[in-house]
Amino acid sequence: SQQGEEDPQALSIQEGENATMNCSYKTSINNLQWYRQNSGRGLVHLILIRSNEREKHSGRLRVTLDTSKKSSSLLITASRAADTASYFCATAYSSASKIIFGSGTRLSIRP
Amino acid sequence: GAGVSQSPSNKVTEKGKDVELRCDPISGHTALYWYRQSLGQGLEFLIYFQGNSAPDKSGLPSDRFSAERTGGSVSTLTIQRTQQEDSAVYLCASSLPRSGKYEQYFGPGTRLTVT
């Protein structure tokens, strides 16, 4: 079974609004990553947060991590049409272990 | 530099035939992953190679699936006696975790269709 589960499964918002996606996982982790996928092909790495970090920013992206709740959130501010994609969280329980992906959130930005 | 490449980009095969999918990781990347993604679904982990360590094969769905990585570089995923449920996009990714670079770089995938 997958390690991470994203919530919601699908999200549709107006351009310019903020989008928030959540990820829950089951076991202790070393790091958590967020990826974006367009058109069902290769994924692109967005941001990584380590288990000893609580928040990271990258441009319009903000990621939080709550290890006590085993959850993370990805916030995209001032959404654009180009942000339409599927977003996945991925977790690794050690620095050398395999990375497990969640089921993803499909984000649609309405013009 | 060059990214992760995969070949073929599309493969149509008849049920019962064997197929080989190829992945060329980024040069120097020690970790290589294979995932499978069915339409509209998440990524299903298949197998993970890390340097000279024994591969983690825990995600392979049956003994019809196997993979090898030669010389710590190119990897081949082989599916024997293909079934219709094997139809999916097969994604390969590489990374350099021992240098603290955990982010994965993905190839464009191979879309496999079993008829």
Side-chain angles (χ1 to χ4, degrees):
Chain A
S1 63
Q2 300 298 329
Q3 159 78 313
E5 293 293 333
E6 282 90 341
D7 169 54
Q9 290 186 329
L11 178 63
S12 179
I13 61 172
Q14 203 74 31
E15 190 170 15
E17 294 180 338
N18 296 341
T20 300
M21 290 159 271
N22 302 295
C23 169
S24 59
Y25 56 91
K26 299 174 184 174
T27 62
S28 296
I29 60 171
N30 173 277
N31 65 80
L32 184 145
Q33 304 175 46
W34 285 90
Y35 288 80
R36 184 184 71 222
Q37 183 180 39
N38 294 90
S39 305
R41 287 290 189 155
L43 283 73
V44 174
H45 180 263
L46 295 176
I47 195 166
L48 178 150
I49 187 166
R50 299 177 194 276
S51 58
N52 61 353
E53 298 175 311
R54 293 297 167 258
E55 187 172 315
K56 281 190 84 169
H57 296 255
S58 176
R60 295 185 295 112
L61 305 180
R62 172 177 168 252
V63 169
T64 62
L65 180 65
D66 187 334
T67 52
S68 67
K69 295 181 179 178
K70 293 186 170 59
S71 67
S72 172
S73 67
L74 171 67
L75 169 68
I76 304 174
T77 60
S79 62
R80 306 168 181 169
D83 295 330
T84 294
S86 291
Y87 292 81
F88 295 88
C89 68
T91 54
Y93 67 82
S94 79
S95 61
S97 70
K98 65 190 179 192
I99 293 175
I100 301 295
F101 283 77
S103 51
T105 292
R106 293 186 303 280
L107 175 65
S108 298
I109 308 298
R110 304 189 302 272
Chain B
V4 177
S5 62
Q6 292 185 245
S7 60
S9 57
N10 287 283
K11 176 71 176 179
V12 180
T13 190
E14 292 180 352
K15 178 182 173 181
K17 301 279 190 184
D18 297 352
V19 295
E20 284 190 352
L21 312 180
R22 177 187 169 104
C23 172
D24 281 273
I26 291 174
S27 178
H29 277 195
T30 56
L32 186 148
Y33 303 77
W34 283 98
Y35 297 92
R36 178 169 72 174
Q37 185 176 33
S38 300
L39 187 63
Q41 303 298 310
L43 273 70
E44 177 187 2
F45 167 79
L46 296 178
I47 188 168
Y48 164 51
F49 296 89
Q50 170 53 44
N52 295 322
S53 302
D56 181 340
K57 303 179 181 181
S58 59
L60 295 178
S62 77
D63 59 7
R64 295 186 296 104
F65 288 73
S66 63
E68 61 179 25
R69 189 179 185 190
T70 53
S73 180
V74 172
S75 177
T76 302
L77 176 69
T78 301
I79 308 173
Q80 295 178 310
R81 305 180 302 282
T82 52
Q83 303 294 312
Q84 288 186 329
E85 60 263 29
D86 299 334
S87 295
V89 175
Y90 289 81
L91 293 163
C92 174
S94 69
S95 65
L96 197 55
R98 294 274 164 84
S99 297
K101 299 184 185 302
Y102 305 114
E103 54 266 37
Q104 294 184 302
Y105 294 83
F106 280 80
T110 293
R111 186 179 300 279
L112 175 65
T113 303
V114 182
T115 60

